[in-house]
Amino acid sequence: MSIKVKTIVRYGRSWQERLYLIEVFKGMACTFRHFITNFLDNSKLYVRHYPEVKPEITPRWRGRHRLTTHEDGTIKCVACYMCQTNCPAQCIQIEAGERTDGRTEKVPLKFDIDLLECIYCGYCVEACPMDAIRMDTGIFSVTATNREEMKMTIDQLRSTPGAFSEEEYKKGGA
Amino acid sequence: MAEMVKLSVNGQEVEVEAGKNLIDAVGAVGIEIPHLCYHPALGADGNCRMCLVGIEDGRPPLVPACKTPAAEGMKVQLDAEHIKKIQHDVMELELINHPTDCPICDQAGECALQDYYQKYDGQESRMTVPQVQKSKKLDFGCGVIHDQERCILCARCVRFTRQITKTGELGIVNRTDDARVTTFPGRPLNNRYALNVVDLCPVGAMTSSDFRFKQRVWFLTRDKGICHGCSKGCNIFIDHHKEKYKDDIIYRYRPFVNEQVNGYFMCDEGRMTYKKENQDRLLVAKANNAESIISSAVDSLKNSISSSNKPVFLVSPNCSLEQMYAIKKLGEAKGATVSGFSDGYILEGDGDDFLIQDDKAANRAGLELLGVDTTKEAFESAMKEADLLVNFNNDLAKSYDAAALDELIGDCKFAMVATTQDALTEKAEIAIPAASYSEYSGSVINTDNILQMFNKAVVKNEPFDDIVNIVSRIGGDVNENSAAWAGMKASVPALKDVEPEQIPEQGLALNS
Ligand code: SF4
Ligand code: SF4
Ligand code: SF4
Ligand code: SF4
Ligand code: FES
């Protein structure tokens, strides 16, 4: 099998091009042409109308975290601190306590994730032996008006539902 | 020096101590023989078979290393295929019914089963039948929680209550996979050393209710220290950790081996004294009965001492030698009476013949060595004429009740350099917060006249000064431990030849 060679035409060697000025005006003309077309009719825009139009995201997307629950609503997390240990940003802070809902012995009383510090690496999800923490909420834009609001508490993490079906999520490689 | 013998392990020649069993003997030169039931303080029981090794020539093919004394010329096989298979198989046996609930097990991270699984096993479970279920979270009393499923039946805990405390609360009942550790009905653990079974248990079957779920052990920093709970001065690990955005706090004490002082154990009461290092600490200084910054409290104390005619300095018997010496020197310079009166620290009849002592102070022997008077008469007669009492962390409330204390202090000016916020510091006109023993370096002498050195372990976000530094700030000459040692070496005959840097880890027995 012979190697296919494709010769690329090099631009920018002629004297008009080396003068720059002509090319600059050509570029400006192009920009203005697009501007005026889009100004008069924006239905053919190349970019997405964010935030009115949201992007399609895949189940593998690492969005904001949530803490998953069993069918009966009890939290899956057993406060083993694996996620906290594995988190390179050290933004997870857990406090453990005695469990009373009839499952095992240990439960998180406090589970804070500081999203200002989080780097959305997903190591916490990887580390969890219980599939108790996931980043499948589909929430990728997290905003707040002050620092404190960026700290997710156990209740917020628990009450956010997942954005995908179990099958879709599992297909994503989890 | 013990007699040495030469033997070979895996063909490698090593020189080890004669008479010891193989685990300890070759362990001392850094070769590990895995073992679960053997513990140096409890002796060999030979029940786990994890320590089986091969001995070439003229012996049964396999022997338990815990029951085999090291002998000259022995050829020990550790890495032969059949030995590896035994270790592998024993581990598989141990794990057949093991719940492997490491995520919720406080032992995870310091568990022999976890470590040995990584080193000697490493295979998936081949079990296809349901595991045997036993009781979990049994309250065995004395703050010990037992999990029968995690237990590997090594009987260390049972042997501890039989051999060491001689109380025998624990036993193993039933046979085979139904065997379990339990107590007699209505007879829970009831001895003052019970929490040692938590350290002894190689797995997470015995855990402490106090430490339960507080922290994962791999986060903890282990620093060595000396327990200040009584005059035995047990060697301890101070397990502490500074969580993000929080202060450095202590999570637990564990005994650290020192054959000369405490052996492998410590008492439960001493174990819990870590709480005092975390809680009720004096945090704000006081000058003239009002909250102030530390430097003005120090200045105020300095001025009070200068203007006082008859000051009395009271030293705590828990102070380090260096602190005692610094206070004594300051007292001499300022014409103060220095007293170490602390009868209240002695609880007559509380001690036993194992570790616990009557005297709940860590360094009373130090007071005596430095010649600080500790008699009640001398202290009270000095107090009658005194116009200023400077109390260096001596808990007077132990020696006097509230009314007697008021009478004692009278209208004498009362200043405290203290670690704890309590009724006594409340009374003081001047109060200066000081570092506690987990936060400074120093030395103490225990009841058996053994001098022990300890180093700073905990570093608080806003550390307080060591009493030595506070004394120097209020006008003392001694400004650091090395200066105190120079002075002590010159003035105390028993310390003349002691080099503080060369005090062995096991402590130095002072001959006097
Ligand atoms: S995504 Fe990464 S940085 Fe964020 S909490 Fe999880 S482990 Fe920590
Ligand atoms: S979320 Fe998972 S890894 Fe984190 S503490 Fe809970 S169970 Fe452990
Ligand atoms: S005893 Fe060891 S192996 Fe067993 S659950 Fe606890 S940490 Fe895991
Ligand atoms: S509780 Fe621990 S020390 Fe006691 S027999 Fe079981 S494994 Fe051994
Ligand atoms: S340590 Fe030798 S048999 Fe258990």
Side-chain angles (χ1 to χ4, degrees):
Chain A
M1 207 175 90
S2 65
I3 301 164
K4 272 192 206 147
V5 178
K6 189 182 172 194
T7 314
I8 308 282
V9 190
R10 281 195 169 266
Y11 292 99
R13 293 269 168 85
S14 70
W15 69 268
Q16 286 110 314
E17 282 164 347
R18 286 172 151 222
L19 214 58
Y20 292 118
L21 214 58
I22 300 167
E23 292 298 306
V24 168
F25 278 105
K26 274 186 178 171
M28 297 277 275
C30 180
T31 306
F32 274 99
R33 199 169 60 242
H34 280 297
F35 173 68
I36 289 161
T37 330
N38 292 339
F39 192 71
L40 298 176
D41 172 17
N42 69 6
S43 65
K44 289 195 205 70
L45 262 186
Y46 287 135
V47 292
R48 181 179 294 125
H49 291 235
Y50 185 81
E52 289 82 11
V53 180
K54 300 267 196 283
E56 276 274 309
I57 60 170
T58 75
R60 292 180 63 176
W61 178 277
R62 296 196 298 267
R64 213 206 74 190
H65 319 63
R66 71 177 176 114
L67 289 174
T68 56
T69 50
H70 295 282
E71 280 85 62
D72 61 358
T74 52
I75 196 163
K76 278 192 184 169
C77 174
V78 295
C80 68
Y81 290 64
M82 286 298 136
C83 50
Q84 177 172 335
T85 308
N86 211 27
C87 175
Q90 296 182 8
C91 63
I92 304 181
Q93 236 100 63
I94 301 172
E95 257 172 44
E98 211 67 49
R99 191 157 193 156
T100 51
D101 58 14
R103 286 182 187 272
T104 71
E105 295 171 21
K106 202 177 176 188
V107 79
L109 302 177
K110 224 181 89 187
F111 197 115
D112 292 345
I113 302 183
D114 192 335
L115 292 178
L116 282 175
E117 290 175 330
C118 175
I119 55 169
Y120 295 90
C121 61
Y123 280 15
C124 47
V125 182
E126 300 271 321
C128 182
M130 307 304 293
D131 189 18
I133 187 166
R134 288 188 183 176
M135 296 175 84
D136 65 349
T137 54
I139 302 172
F140 51 83
S141 152
V142 188
T143 54
T145 47
N146 59 47
R147 277 160 185 268
E148 285 68 36
E149 274 176 38
M150 291 297 278
K151 196 197 251 174
M152 293 290 125
T153 61
I154 186 164
D155 295 327
Q156 286 164 293
L157 291 166
R158 220 182 135 147
S159 55
T160 323
F164 308 96
S165 72
E166 206 59 23
E167 294 77 58
E168 277 180 298
Y169 182 77
K170 291 273 155 65
K171 236 192 301 175
Chain B
M1 196 66 209
E3 195 197 326
M4 303 299 272
V5 290
K6 280 208 180 77
L7 47 79
S8 78
V9 183
N10 301 334
Q12 173 200 346
E13 182 122 311
V14 290
E15 197 172 305
V16 300
E17 228 174 277
K20 284 192 167 177
N21 69 25
L22 281 176
I23 295 181
D24 284 345
V26 306
V29 294
I31 302 171
E32 189 197 27
I33 299 178
H35 58 279
L36 292 166
C37 70
Y38 170 69
H39 186 279
L42 305 171
D45 201 43
N47 66 48
C48 74
R49 311 321 267 178
M50 189 66 198
C51 68
L52 288 181
V53 294
I55 309 275
E56 287 172 44
D57 327 322
R59 281 192 169 250
L62 296 167
V63 294
C66 62
K67 288 208 175 249
T68 310
E72 183 75 38
M74 237 177 202
K75 292 207 177 85
V76 184
Q77 282 180 326
L78 256 184
D79 62 354
E81 278 315 309
H82 67 290
I83 305 295
K84 283 193 187 155
K85 176 159 174 11
I86 287 167
Q87 293 168 344
H88 180 276
D89 291 352
V90 170
M91 277 310 293
E92 186 169 26
L93 183 72
E94 297 293 5
L95 289 169
I96 283 182
N97 282 315
H98 196 79
T100 339
D101 44 9
C102 311
I104 57 162
C105 179
D106 276 335
Q107 189 84 1
E110 50 182 18
C111 171
L113 270 189
Q114 282 187 329
D115 295 348
Y116 288 171
Y117 175 80
Q118 303 282 348
K119 273 195 201 155
Y120 305 106
D121 189 0
Q123 69 165 349
E124 297 259 323
S125 171
R126 292 189 288 158
M127 281 285 283
T128 50
V129 292
Q131 290 185 314
V132 177
Q133 302 211 322
K134 298 182 191 171
S135 306
K136 294 176 87 73
K137 208 182 145 189
L138 293 173
D139 185 357
F140 268 8
C142 290
V144 176
I145 293 182
H146 180 59
D147 187 308
Q148 291 181 330
E149 289 185 349
R150 291 182 198 148
C151 173
I152 55 161
L153 297 161
C154 68
R156 282 192 191 183
C157 55
V158 176
R159 282 179 283 152
F160 176 78
T161 58
R162 292 188 184 161
Q163 295 171 19
I164 308 289
T165 61
K166 306 211 165 58
T167 45
E169 298 99 334
L170 299 176
I172 296 178
V173 298
N174 299 343
R175 285 190 302 165
T176 63
D177 60 8
D178 205 26
R180 54 194 74 195
V181 170
T182 187
T183 53
F184 295 98
R187 300 285 294 275
L189 277 174
N190 181 19
N191 67 69
R192 296 170 81 185
Y193 299 92
L195 281 169
N196 286 299
V197 301
V198 175
D199 307 315
L200 282 173
C201 181
V203 297
M206 294 286 189
T207 51
S208 145
S209 64
D210 180 66
F211 181 64
R212 191 170 161 87
F213 303 159
K214 292 271 163 43
Q215 191 54 272
R216 298 316 307 243
V217 297
W218 54 83
F219 290 122
L220 299 176
T221 312
R222 288 119 204 253
D223 277 309
K224 275 190 246 158
I226 304 286
C227 174
H228 278 44
C230 82
S231 58
K232 193 73 188 179
C234 293
N235 288 214
I236 51 171
F237 273 125
I238 300 177
D239 288 353
H240 62 108
H241 175 57
K242 178 182 155 26
E243 262 187 61
K244 202 172 179 182
Y245 307 127
K246 293 189 187 154
D247 209 350
D248 198 350
I249 59 163
I250 304 175
Y251 285 88
R252 60 177 182 182
Y253 284 165
R254 286 177 305 135
F256 176 75
V257 189
N258 185 339
E259 297 283 6
Q260 197 168 209
V261 179
N262 55 309
Y264 290 79
F265 306 115
M266 72 184 293
C267 77
D268 291 357
E269 225 167 295
R271 210 182 271 265
M272 290 304 142
T273 53
Y274 81 90
K275 292 184 181 166
K276 285 195 214 149
E277 297 293 284
N278 296 338
Q279 294 165 0
D280 300 328
R281 292 291 297 271
L282 178 64
L283 300 174
V284 263
K286 229 168 29 164
N288 305 321
N289 272 324
E291 278 187 12
S292 78
I293 53 169
I294 294 179
S295 59
S296 44
V298 169
D299 288 341
S300 155
L301 179 56
K302 191 173 179 176
N303 295 337
S304 308
I305 294 174
S306 319
S307 58
S308 156
N309 297 322
K310 285 248 166 3
V312 173
F313 290 177
L314 184 65
V315 196
S316 161
N318 266 331
C319 281
S320 70
L321 264 185
E322 293 84 350
Q323 294 171 346
M324 289 174 175
Y325 181 76
I327 296 165
K328 189 179 162 210
K329 288 305 272 186
L330 180 71
E332 280 167 10
K334 305 286 177 189
T337 315
V338 180
S339 166
F341 170 65
S342 50
D343 285 359
Y345 282 72
I346 302 173
L347 295 183
E348 213 67 63
D350 187 63
D352 58 22
D353 54 2
F354 187 33
L355 297 174
I356 301 173
Q357 303 295 313
D358 285 353
D359 184 2
K360 304 298 170 202
N363 197 16
R364 187 177 302 275
L367 282 176
E368 278 154 28
L369 190 70
L370 295 179
V372 177
D373 189 293
T374 55
T375 57
K376 185 171 189 176
E377 297 73 45
F379 174 59
E380 285 186 348
S381 74
M383 277 307 289
K384 283 208 182 79
E385 294 159 19
D387 55 359
L388 170 70
L389 170 64
V390 187
N391 180 352
F392 293 92
N393 212 21
N394 184 321
D395 189 359
L396 272 177
K398 281 192 162 83
S399 309
Y400 296 97
D401 60 21
L405 202 56
D406 283 336
E407 192 188 327
L408 176 86
I409 296 170
D411 40 49
C412 160
K413 194 166 187 176
F414 181 38
M416 281 222 58
V417 177
T419 54
T420 323
Q421 170 78 54
D422 54 14
L424 195 64
T425 27
E426 217 46 41
K427 270 199 218 321
E429 263 174 67
I430 304 171
I432 302 171
S436 192
Y437 64 91
S438 61
E439 298 149 25
Y440 61 73
S441 306
S443 41
V444 290
I445 303 174
N446 86 348
T447 183
D448 304 318
N449 229 3
I450 294 169
L451 172 66
Q452 306 194 81
M453 208 61 161
F454 58 94
N455 282 320
K456 182 193 264 192
V458 178
V459 182
K460 290 282 184 194
N461 288 343
E462 285 170 42
F464 296 122
D465 273 351
D466 177 1
I467 289 182
V468 174
N469 301 100
I470 296 175
V471 169
S472 110
R473 283 171 73 183
I474 56 180
D477 295 330
V478 179
N479 57 1
E480 55 180 20
N481 282 358
S482 58
W485 269 101
M488 286 192 289
K489 277 161 74 85
S491 59
V492 184
L495 299 177
K496 187 161 67 67
D497 301 317
V498 179
E499 290 299 335
E501 298 82 28
Q502 284 163 20
I503 296 174
E505 199 179 68
Q506 303 269 302
L508 184 74
L510 296 177
N511 26 348
S512 62

